[in-house]
Amino acid sequence: MAEDLIDVATARARVLAEARPLAPERVELAEALGRVLAEDIASDLDLPPFDASAMDGFATRAGPPEELEVVGESRAGHPAARALAPGEAIRISTGAVVPDGAEAVVAVERTETVSHGGGQGPGARERVSVPARGDGDHVRRAGEDVRGGETVMSAGVRLGPAEVAVLASLGRAEVECGPRPRMAVLVTGDELVEPGTALGPGQIRDANVYALAAQAERAGGRIVGRALVRDELEATVAALGEAIELADVVCVSGGVSVGPHDHVKPALERLGVRERFWGVALKPGKPTWFGVHGSTLVFGLPGNPVSAMVTFHLFARLALEHLAGVVEAARERAVARLEGSLPRESRRDQAIRCRLETRPDGWHAWPTGSQGSHILTSMLGADALALVPAGEGELAAGERVELELLR
Ligand code: AMP
Ligand code: MG
């Protein structure tokens, strides 16, 4: 492995080459948050669908100050019964249809009721005095937001609250979305016990099932299996075989090196999973393994929890997103200025956990302390991974670094 490490970009390209989008499915809008859109959305109507009032007040013709007779009302959802004629006003609410014949809306605060001839009875005539107003004042024009026929969203975007809201206003009760890729998480290690279990000699608690399953869910994956596997070849073969049957993506952590108790690679070989890479010029994350079995993608991630999380974020998350249909151009990219210098590694890129702060000149990134791959708390408070390219000397304070956002 050490001889033929590939760089991060090459490794990611190999993941992308294998991650073909899964067949889309129809999803109810109320369930669509976080899904990836699998169709272009063209509007079949104008938004707003009609000229609407932006104020509570009176709909009128444009013109000089004058006194008008109030002849009806247009409320939100209840248009006026008739059109407006010269000399008339129609009481109107925000969001109500501007009646035919009206050209402007006058805010109620700028008007004065001048008479209530006839009291409240059937003969009551309400008159209102209005100031000068121009054509279109306080009128929201039909189509100002969206024009009928316009494409408002493209396949490949992840649906956030705003996208869901726009789809609702376009009347889409269902949308075509990429499915949530099925993900199985296995961890290997005789030293591992579940949280909630007392520690025996030499034991530690398994952090990686929790880390990787949480990351997968954040990335839009659906967990279909999680297991803690002992450092035995047969057990590893059995657990991996089952996971490959169940899942679109399998992540297995630990046991992926060449020690006498590392069984992941021999097990994958036995199962016929075809290797696409093993060994990335990355710190942390060197012993990362990637291969395919039919349409299932398998990642062998290092056991150290930080390494597992970093490599999940850089490689497995990419796979989950692409299976779900994310278009590469829609992915978030960012840069920041580095606070404090960092020694470079001559042969490996580094993924430095950073806290971000926004300043007038953009983002600034502070490393979150010790960067050892076993220092899991260095992930606490980390907003991003700063990618420091391999090279000699140090990356000086103030230099720009590329970011992979963690949140
Ligand atoms: P390995 O890759 O199996 O050699 O493991 C590398 C290091 O990561 C060892 O110190 C393991 O104890 C630790 N490790 C492996 N798996 C986990 C896990 N699931 N949770 C926490 N630490 C782990
Ligand atoms: Mg191990």
Side-chain angles (χ1 to χ4, degrees):
M1 169 178 68
E3 304 314 313
D4 52 359
L5 298 182
I6 59 173
D7 62 26
V8 171
T10 305
R12 298 178 95 174
R14 290 193 194 170
V15 171
L16 288 182
E18 302 293 345
R20 276 169 282 280
L22 301 169
E25 59 190 17
R26 281 193 96 66
V27 177
E28 283 184 29
L29 189 57
E31 303 297 324
L33 180 68
R35 291 298 198 98
V36 180
L37 193 60
E39 56 173 324
D40 294 338
I41 302 290
S43 177
D44 61 1
L45 79 172
D46 282 347
L47 286 182
F50 47 83
D51 286 357
S53 176
M55 293 278 185
D56 289 332
F58 293 91
T60 68
R61 299 273 167 124
E66 62 186 318
E67 213 179 283
L68 302 169
E69 180 167 358
V70 181
V71 297
E73 182 171 23
S74 177
R75 289 167 53 196
H78 303 279
R82 70 177 191 69
L84 184 100
E88 294 178 347
I90 287 181
R91 189 180 292 280
I92 195 163
S93 324
T94 305
V97 177
V98 173
D100 286 344
E103 294 162 339
V105 169
V106 189
V108 69
E109 312 83 276
R110 304 193 58 222
T111 67
E112 216 171 306
T113 302
V114 283
S115 71
H116 269 288
Q120 298 293 306
R125 288 173 58 234
E126 184 183 358
R127 295 182 70 75
V128 69
S129 124
V130 298
R133 61 273 168 221
D135 198 354
D137 283 0
H138 305 306
V139 174
R140 303 168 179 164
R141 293 289 180 206
E144 244 174 31
D145 188 357
V146 176
R147 285 251 163 248
E150 189 184 323
T151 298
V152 281
M153 267 174 250
S154 300
V157 302
R158 202 179 280 286
L159 300 176
E163 286 75 15
V164 170
V166 169
L167 288 164
S169 49
L170 293 175
R172 294 297 305 261
E174 294 184 332
V175 273
E176 285 285 307
C177 293
R180 295 178 61 191
R182 296 165 301 169
M183 164 96 191
V185 183
L186 307 183
V187 297
T188 66
D190 280 353
E191 73 279 33
L192 303 176
V193 296
E194 286 277 354
T197 310
L199 290 180
Q203 293 184 327
I204 60 169
R205 302 221 168 77
D206 161 34
N208 291 353
V209 150
Y210 292 86
L212 300 172
Q215 287 179 292
E217 289 198 339
R218 275 275 174 89
R222 185 161 59 86
I223 305 301
V224 293
R226 45 200 283 165
L228 202 164
V229 186
R230 294 296 155 213
D231 287 323
E232 293 155 14
L233 180 59
E234 295 307 323
T236 309
V237 171
L240 275 169
E242 197 181 321
I244 288 166
E245 287 300 307
L246 284 179
D248 301 306
V249 178
V250 175
C251 282
V252 51
S253 88
V256 76
S257 296
V258 288
H261 308 293
D262 289 336
H263 300 294
V264 168
K265 273 175 46 65
L268 291 168
E269 203 168 307
R270 172 102 77 87
L271 290 163
V273 185
R274 284 168 299 135
E275 180 181 312
R276 288 290 176 265
F277 65 76
W278 182 40
V280 181
L282 172 67
K283 186 179 175 185
K286 184 164 96 173
T288 306
W289 190 98
F290 171 61
V292 295
H293 185 280
S295 59
T296 302
L297 310 181
V298 183
F299 292 88
L301 306 180
N304 270 309
V306 172
S307 314
M309 291 189 78
V310 165
T311 52
F312 180 95
H313 197 73
L314 294 179
F315 305 117
R317 181 185 55 122
L318 194 65
L320 286 174
E321 289 185 343
H322 275 259
L323 293 177
V326 168
V327 170
E328 182 65 7
R331 287 171 48 79
E332 288 183 280
R333 282 203 187 75
V335 290
R337 267 175 213 291
L338 186 65
E339 292 291 328
S341 61
L342 281 175
R344 289 189 207 255
E345 288 272 320
S346 60
R347 318 258 304 256
R348 287 198 278 167
D349 293 351
Q350 294 176 83
I352 305 291
R353 281 79 76 200
C354 288
R355 180 174 62 77
L356 297 180
E357 201 176 290
T358 323
R359 297 266 179 90
D361 63 343
W363 267 334
H364 289 236
W366 278 261
T368 55
S370 166
Q371 298 284 315
S373 60
H374 61 298
I375 308 290
L376 184 51
T377 54
S378 70
M379 291 297 290
L380 294 177
D383 301 307
L385 301 175
L387 299 177
V388 175
E392 300 306 324
E394 62 178 25
L395 193 66
E399 292 231 37
R400 287 160 76 79
V401 282
E402 224 181 279
L403 300 176
E404 283 281 326
L405 299 176
L406 288 169
R407 294 168 199 277

